[in-house]
Amino acid sequence: FTKIMFAKIVCVQLVNELGYDLLFMDVDIVWYRNPIDYFMNKSLPQFDIYFQDDGSRQERYAPYSANSGFYFVRANPRTQHLFRHLLYSGDLLNAWNSHQQVLIALLAEYNSLMGLKVKVFAKETELFPGGWLYHRQKNEMKRIMKGESNLYIFHMSWTENKRNKLNFLQQIGQWYVQETCIGKHYNDIVGGDSTVSLSTHCCLAEPVVICHYRDKPSMIPCNDSP
């Protein structure tokens, strides 16, 4: 897990160091609209880095409560210094076992040190909702599932494990992966033929909708579920 967290740092730092703006996302995110269009809008207030709100108000995530699974970075000297420092903070990553906690601590430091401008969208925002909204705002989830929301993405954060993520996404009608591809290595899926596209075997045109929990938002009635 620590290696994965460090890889999340390296891939962002390399692109940022080359002078490119970038959008980082975890894989548990569904696009409803292209979020890059939002961040590249010239009328948007200009911050150095924009984050989705994590929703958690634990002390270790203070003061920003930024979610490190979805954020947009503008390439400039302030963000380049930030991500170089984050890259060199592997000791904290190992000690705290949290990429998110280390990044938030450095956001506060670089805001003071270099005037880094950080924007964290309110957790109630319609544009970039996540797990907090899924578990706490059922009426808003109904609007999303009915296609009445103006959101760009939905981030299935606030889950205990990968199985939870899959179950929640299936229940809200946002799972588009063949069952035969789940948990499989690429070579096992394509039969060793590297010319075959993974999407041909794994991607679905229509979502898999399955009930798992009767007390969670759902596209279909799930009253008989546990």
Side-chain angles (χ1 to χ4, degrees):
F1 182 68
T2 304
K3 291 180 180 178
I4 294 173
M5 290 190 291
F6 192 73
K8 291 171 68 171
I9 295 171
V10 172
C11 66
V12 172
Q13 192 275 330
L14 286 174
V15 177
N16 174 255
E17 190 72 31
L18 290 171
Y20 295 102
D21 297 346
L22 67 97
L23 176 66
F24 176 86
M25 304 187 315
D26 284 345
V27 295
D28 56 346
I29 289 176
V30 179
W31 282 31
Y32 289 78
R33 293 187 287 159
N34 188 346
I36 296 176
D37 293 340
Y38 176 87
F39 293 113
M40 300 308 291
N41 187 333
K42 299 299 183 183
S43 65
L44 183 70
Q46 296 297 295
F47 290 85
D48 296 315
I49 188 165
Y50 304 77
F51 283 91
Q52 182 184 43
D53 192 316
D54 183 82
S56 173
R57 294 299 181 263
Q58 298 178 57
E59 185 178 356
R60 67 193 184 114
Y61 295 149
Y64 290 111
S65 190
N67 189 307
S68 59
F70 180 84
Y71 59 94
F72 182 83
V73 184
R74 299 198 188 280
N76 59 45
R78 293 181 294 276
T79 58
Q80 288 170 341
H81 275 283
L82 168 70
F83 284 102
R84 285 179 206 141
H85 195 157
L86 183 60
L87 183 68
Y88 299 151
S89 299
D91 56 333
L92 291 178
L93 193 67
N94 279 320
W96 296 350
N97 198 34
S98 171
H99 160 256
Q100 181 178 2
Q101 189 175 349
V102 178
L103 177 54
I104 291 174
L106 291 179
L107 290 176
E109 181 175 340
Y110 276 80
N111 172 259
S112 176
L113 183 66
M114 298 189 67
L116 181 77
K117 292 179 286 187
V118 181
K119 171 66 176 177
V120 179
F121 298 104
K123 63 181 184 294
E124 299 87 0
T125 182
E126 181 182 38
L127 301 179
F128 303 104
W132 177 86
L133 185 137
Y134 178 81
H135 293 291
R136 301 285 179 85
Q137 302 289 324
K138 291 185 178 181
N139 288 337
E140 187 60 29
M141 284 303 305
K142 289 178 182 178
R143 291 187 63 239
I144 291 174
M145 289 184 284
K146 290 178 181 178
E148 299 172 354
S149 177
N150 196 36
L151 78 171
Y152 279 91
I153 61 98
F154 182 81
H155 185 186
M156 190 53 78
S157 53
W158 273 38
T159 54
E160 184 177 356
N161 52 48
K162 289 189 291 186
R163 189 71 230 181
N164 279 153
K165 292 181 186 292
L166 190 155
N167 290 350
F168 292 152
L169 287 168
Q170 286 181 339
Q171 189 153 314
I172 65 171
Q174 289 297 337
W175 185 255
Y176 292 84
V177 182
Q178 292 274 16
E179 181 69 27
T180 53
C181 293
I182 297 173
K184 301 289 182 62
H185 290 287
Y186 171 79
N187 285 335
D188 295 332
I189 295 171
V190 301
D193 185 354
S194 61
T195 64
V196 176
S197 170
L198 197 62
S199 61
T200 302
H201 289 270
C202 297
C203 295
L204 296 170
E206 297 296 328
V208 176
V209 183
I210 302 175
C211 285
H212 296 283
Y213 314 98
R214 64 182 176 184
D215 61 339
K216 296 297 180 184
S218 177
M219 282 285 288
I220 58 177
C222 293
N223 298 328
D224 296 330
S225 297

